[in-house]
Amino acid sequence: MDINWQMVFDWMSLLKCFVVGGLICIIGQILIDKTKLTPARILVIFVTTGAILGGLGIYKYVVDFAGAGATVPLTGFGYNLAKGAIEGVKEAGLVGAFTGGVKAAAGGIAAAVFFGYLASLISKPKMKKQ
């Protein structure tokens, strides 16, 4: 029996992606269930954590390991903002710190606005009880 190693590698990549993305989601679910934090505050925590870890160069290793499992969750959005800001500073100086992050994350921002609008049309948001 001949083993197709390319297929084995693809399954391992999917597994790593699933596990890392799942762990990030588990952390979010624990924060929702066990704290009085609102989903909006948890969102800010994840984006800020991703930006800080990205700025320090730590999140790059997570992205290299897990691929989309690390870039698709909110921490990946923060990482993308930080990475874009760093590149913007290299290209345009101080102004690049503000424009680089927005340029790097423009697709994510546009998708968030579009799908947020669609969700607002079909749902009734509720405030979390204190």
Side-chain angles (χ1 to χ4, degrees), residues 66-78:
T71 58
V72 171
L74 289 169
T75 49
F77 181 70

Side-chain angles (χ1 to χ4, degrees), residues 15-61:
L15 181 64
K16 290 189 286 188
C17 177
F18 179 79
V19 169
V20 171
L23 287 172
I24 293 170
C25 292
I26 287 171
I27 293 168
Q29 192 63 50
I30 289 170
L31 289 172
I32 288 171
D33 292 343
K34 301 295 181 186
T35 68
K36 291 184 179 184
L37 292 171
T38 63
R41 289 192 176 151
I42 295 169
L43 177 146
V44 171
I45 289 169
F46 276 138
V47 172
T48 304
T49 301
I52 291 169
L53 293 176
L56 294 173
I58 297 168
Y59 204 75
K60 181 185 181 327
Y61 298 111

Side-chain angles (χ1 to χ4, degrees), residues 12 45 57 81 92:
M12 287 304 296
I45 289 169
L81 285 172

Side-chain angles (χ1 to χ4, degrees), residues 6 20 36 41-42 46 74 76 79-80 85 87 91 100 114 122-123:
Q6 182 64 32
V20 171
K36 291 184 179 184
R41 289 192 176 151
I42 295 169
F46 276 138
L74 289 169
Y79 162 73
N80 202 21
E87 290 171 3
E91 293 174 10
F114 176 74
I122 60 173
S123 65

Side-chain angles (χ1 to χ4, degrees), residues 4-19:
N4 183 346
W5 291 106
Q6 182 64 32
M7 191 71 122
V8 172
F9 176 75
D10 288 343
W11 282 105
M12 287 304 296
S13 295
L14 288 173
L15 181 64
K16 290 189 286 188
C17 177
F18 179 79
V19 169

Side-chain angles (χ1 to χ4, degrees), residues 84-101 103:
I86 291 168
E87 290 171 3
V89 168
K90 291 177 183 175
E91 293 174 10
L94 183 59
V95 173
F98 300 103
T99 60
K103 279 184 187 177

